[in-house]
Amino acid sequence: MEADNGARSVGQARTSLLPKHEREKRRREKEANRDYGRGRSVNTKTIRDKKLRRNLQALESKNKEAALKAKDAEILLQGTAGFLEPENEMERTYKVRQEEIVENVSIAMAQKRFDLTLNELGPYVFDYSRNGRELLLGGRKGHIASMDWRTGKLNCEFQVHETVRDVRWLHTNQYMAIAQKRNVYIYDGQGVELHCLNQHRDVAHLEFLPYHFLLATLGLRGFLKYQDVSTGQLVSEIATKLGPPASMAQNPYNAICFTGHGNVCPATPVFKTINMLTETEGRYMVSTGQDRKMAVWDIRQFRMVNDYYTDQPASSVAISDRGVTAVSWGTRTTMWKDLFQKHAAEQTKVESPYMKFGGQGRVERLRWCPLEDILGIGHDEGFSSIIVPGAGEPNMDVMEVNPLETVKDRQNREVRSLLNKLQPEMIALDPTFIGNLDLRSEEQRQAEIDLDAKPVDVETEIRKKARGKNSALSRYLRKQRAKNVIDEKRLKVDEIWNEQEQQREQKKKEKETDMGPALARFAKRD
């Protein structure tokens, strides 16, 4: 479109002409920052301190270089994730059956599709080890079994003769935690009982935090407890005060545990949360409830993105390494793809599921096998392993988890994990935040002290506890005399002690006078 003076208006003005290599460089930097960046960069132009500005500029340059190297290293990745793709608009991927998938995959992959018929001691809950190599099964009626599910080798199998509510692998496949009827028990890889956690009563859900070596338990009474499995100490005990729990899930990004409870409220319609799970990067969460809804939440903003309806209240939900969400109700299991997209500004609602599966019994639990396109299903009739193309991460990090590790590799990894163990105090909503410096001056800190608070009187505090032969006063004196430290509190304590000694001597003399000279020797000091 031309103006009256002959000038041509353009939709997008080009204020600067950049060569092709410069445009390519900016595009690479933008993609690298999107995939591997560490958030918004620091504006160093507004910093007056030259030394601080120079240090921050060097740090930003290192972060930028690291992101570019990680982006360039993608060319070395050998595996690629492949989903089912329809050939035309009329085809639907959820109509593909497991028999058709088994016929068109390799023999090694086809052997991973199997069913275990265990219809007498179910329903079954289960757990995969971190490297996806071991499978731990737990029947409601006390049946426990662990196996290398790829080769079919049974490691151990035993009967605990009481109700089993949940099972969980610990930091290696040599230790397993079983939530039984009354307490939580720790067994080794051969099924030998090692510990009985008496402080964890009536536990319904278990979670293990691998980087903190913490076993999180949630009981029927609503108590959330954290047990350090490396030292055996009970780290924390939190009363949720929300009644019996329905579910518990762990955010792998920051190790925060989410709990779902059923609240009864006659005035407002509060629905019971059945299950929930967060994806690996800790940005989105999927929850299901008694209202037959499956909701997708953005937990960074604590708001719901989309919601979907299920035919029945869902019994379990699981999210794979690549973001495929599996949800089950009754005997049916549905897999959804692209419920949330990491780089999308607005999340679009998915019209149809990715795959469907109808099992033999009522589904109790769903779990994705790490580093595999395999979904495990525990139900009334036993256990089923189905193939879901594109669900697993194709490129493994053997420094993190190694499915092919030997006994020596496992031992070395356990030692490294203990040396790099994180403290429980580091569990926070933002794991990148360590702390801030208190930049207030001494005058500001003194001004913010509550001036209305009454000063603590050392003498009054000691006199309240100075009763009995083994009182706090006597214990304090024994410790301080051993240290031989003289301070204001020690002087006050000595004064009170001498005063009490005089009172006791006075009472003894009064008793001797009352009892007479013959019986005076039987008088006792108070």
Side-chain angles (χ1 to χ4, degrees):
M1 182 178 179
E2 295 185 358
D4 297 336
N5 57 359
R8 178 177 296 179
S9 60
V10 294
Q12 183 177 2
R14 297 181 62 183
T15 57
S16 61
L17 297 176
L18 297 175
K20 183 178 180 180
H21 66 87
E22 185 67 23
R23 292 198 301 269
E24 183 67 20
K25 178 182 176 182
R26 291 193 178 187
R27 183 188 63 81
R28 287 178 58 250
E29 291 178 354
K30 185 177 180 181
E31 292 180 355
N33 186 50
R34 181 193 65 184
D35 296 339
Y36 302 100
R38 299 190 178 185
R40 188 177 300 174
S41 60
V42 179
N43 186 11
T44 58
K45 295 182 180 179
T46 58
I47 299 176
R48 297 181 179 180
D49 193 323
K50 294 182 179 180
K51 184 178 180 181
L52 178 61
R53 181 170 65 248
R54 184 169 62 252
N55 292 339
L56 290 178
Q57 288 175 351
L59 183 62
E60 290 295 328
S61 177
K62 289 181 180 179
N63 293 339
K64 182 178 178 181
E65 184 180 358
L68 286 172
K69 287 183 177 180
K71 185 66 177 178
D72 295 340
E74 288 184 352
I75 196 174
L76 302 176
L77 301 179
Q78 298 179 358
T80 57
F83 292 95
L84 293 178
E85 298 292 342
E87 295 182 355
N88 52 61
E89 297 180 356
M90 301 300 294
E91 288 187 349
R92 297 291 182 267
T93 56
Y94 60 80
K95 294 183 179 181
V96 179
R97 297 181 176 272
Q98 286 294 309
E99 292 78 7
E100 300 177 15
I101 297 177
V102 170
E103 292 177 356
N104 293 276
V105 296
S106 62
I107 298 177
M109 191 66 186
Q111 291 177 350
K112 298 176 183 179
R113 165 72 183 101
F114 61 90
D115 294 307
L116 298 177
T117 303
L118 306 167
N119 53 7
E120 296 181 358
L121 302 174
Y124 277 82
V125 293
F126 65 97
D127 186 35
Y128 288 105
S129 59
R130 289 191 65 205
N131 57 9
R133 187 172 177 175
E134 307 290 334
L135 174 65
L136 176 61
L137 293 170
R140 183 66 57 83
K141 297 178 182 179
H143 178 226
I144 304 295
S146 68
M147 59 181 294
D148 187 341
W149 65 274
R150 288 187 177 91
T151 61
K153 180 183 177 181
L154 185 66
N155 296 330
C156 71
E157 184 178 13
F158 56 97
Q159 174 65 245
V160 298
H161 300 289
E162 62 180 4
T163 303
V164 173
R165 297 191 181 96
D166 202 355
V167 296
R168 186 71 57 181
W169 286 112
L170 298 185
H171 51 283
T172 65
N173 58 358
Q174 300 298 308
Y175 304 97
M176 62 185 84
I178 311 295
Q180 297 177 200
K181 183 177 181 181
R182 293 293 298 171
N183 302 318
V184 177
Y185 292 84
I186 306 296
Y187 297 91
D188 68 355
Q190 303 300 322
V192 179
E193 180 183 333
L194 300 178
H195 303 285
C196 175
L197 306 182
N198 294 323
Q199 295 177 316
H200 301 260
R201 293 297 187 95
D202 301 328
V203 172
H205 304 281
L206 296 173
E207 282 289 341
F208 182 69
L209 281 58
Y211 301 105
H212 305 78
F213 280 78
L214 292 179
L215 177 64
T217 65
L218 185 59
L220 296 177
R221 301 176 184 177
F223 282 90
L224 177 62
K225 301 180 181 180
Y226 290 88
Q227 184 89 26
D228 193 329
V229 298
S230 62
T231 62
Q233 297 179 352
L234 185 65
V235 175
S236 177
E237 181 176 356
I238 303 171
T240 59
K241 301 180 181 180
L242 295 174
S247 63
M248 181 172 68
Q250 174 196 165
N251 188 346
Y253 176 66
N254 52 18
I256 295 291
C257 288
F258 297 88
T259 61
H261 299 264
N263 297 329
V264 180
C265 183
T268 58
V270 180
F271 297 102
K272 180 179 179 181
T273 302
I274 295 289
N275 256 295
M276 56 192 167
L277 202 70
T278 60
E279 48 98 16
T280 53
E281 295 190 3
R283 301 183 182 185
Y284 297 95
M285 180 180 71
V286 179
S287 66
T288 59
Q290 287 282 19
D291 54 351
R292 297 189 301 174
K293 279 187 178 181
M294 180 180 65
V296 181
W297 302 83
D298 188 342
I299 55 180
R300 296 169 297 178
Q301 304 177 3
F302 298 102
R303 67 180 182 89
M304 186 173 66
V305 178
N306 286 314
D307 59 342
Y308 302 84
Y309 283 94
T310 58
D311 295 343
Q312 300 177 18
S315 59
S316 184
V317 63
I319 302 176
S320 72
D321 298 334
R322 303 286 294 181
V324 179
T325 303
V327 59
S328 64
W329 62 87
T331 61
R332 297 176 56 188
T333 303
T334 306
M335 283 67 75
W336 296 77
K337 188 181 72 170
D338 297 334
L339 287 182
F340 42 83
Q341 297 180 4
K342 181 170 62 174
H343 303 308
E346 293 292 336
Q347 302 296 329
T348 59
K349 197 165 185 177
V350 182
E351 298 297 332
S352 61
Y354 174 55
M355 289 184 64
K356 290 182 179 180
F357 177 76
Q360 301 174 359
R362 185 176 180 83
V363 178
E364 181 72 14
R365 172 171 292 182
L366 299 175
R367 284 288 184 272
W368 292 97
C369 180
L371 308 175
E372 291 282 356
D373 295 342
I374 298 297
L375 174 65
I377 304 174
H379 45 77
D380 293 342
E381 302 296 325
F383 175 80
S384 298
S385 176
I386 65 174
I387 303 173
V388 182
E393 177 61 45
N395 302 290
M396 67 184 74
D397 184 3
V398 295
M399 299 300 295
E400 182 71 17
V401 288
N402 185 8
L404 307 176
E405 67 181 3
T406 61
V407 176
K408 190 67 176 179
D409 295 336
R410 174 176 55 79
Q411 294 172 351
N412 293 335
R413 179 173 58 85
E414 186 174 1
V415 173
R416 287 196 302 268
S417 300
L418 286 170
L419 293 175
N420 298 327
K421 172 187 169 185
L422 299 178
Q423 295 301 317
E425 293 80 10
M426 299 188 69
I427 299 177
L429 289 175
D430 185 7
T432 61
F433 173 79
I434 302 298
N436 286 333
L437 294 176
D438 190 357
L439 301 179
R440 298 175 301 169
S441 63
E442 182 65 24
E443 292 77 8
Q444 291 177 340
R445 285 196 291 270
Q446 292 295 334
E448 294 178 3
I449 296 177
D450 188 6
L451 301 178
D452 297 334
K454 296 181 179 179
V456 179
D457 189 2
V458 178
E459 184 176 356
T460 305
E461 182 183 2
I462 294 174
R463 285 184 182 277
K464 288 182 180 180
K465 301 180 180 180
R467 297 179 181 178
K469 294 183 179 179
N470 194 25
S471 62
L473 178 63
S474 302
R475 292 195 300 269
Y476 176 79
L477 276 175
R478 286 196 296 269
K479 293 179 181 179
Q480 291 299 318
R481 284 168 181 168
K483 296 179 181 179
N484 196 20
V485 176
I486 304 299
D487 55 1
E488 182 181 358
K489 187 175 181 180
R490 169 68 185 277
L491 295 175
K492 289 283 186 182
V493 169
D494 288 338
E495 182 181 350
I496 296 172
W497 180 263
N498 294 332
E499 181 182 343
Q500 291 183 357
E501 283 289 327
Q502 294 177 2
Q503 292 177 358
R504 283 193 286 268
E505 290 293 335
Q506 183 68 25
K507 289 182 180 180
K508 184 181 179 182
K509 291 180 180 180
E510 293 177 357
K511 285 185 179 181
E512 291 177 353
T513 304
D514 295 340
M515 298 175 70
L519 301 176
R521 59 180 178 174
F522 297 106
K524 295 182 179 180
R525 293 180 60 182
D526 294 335

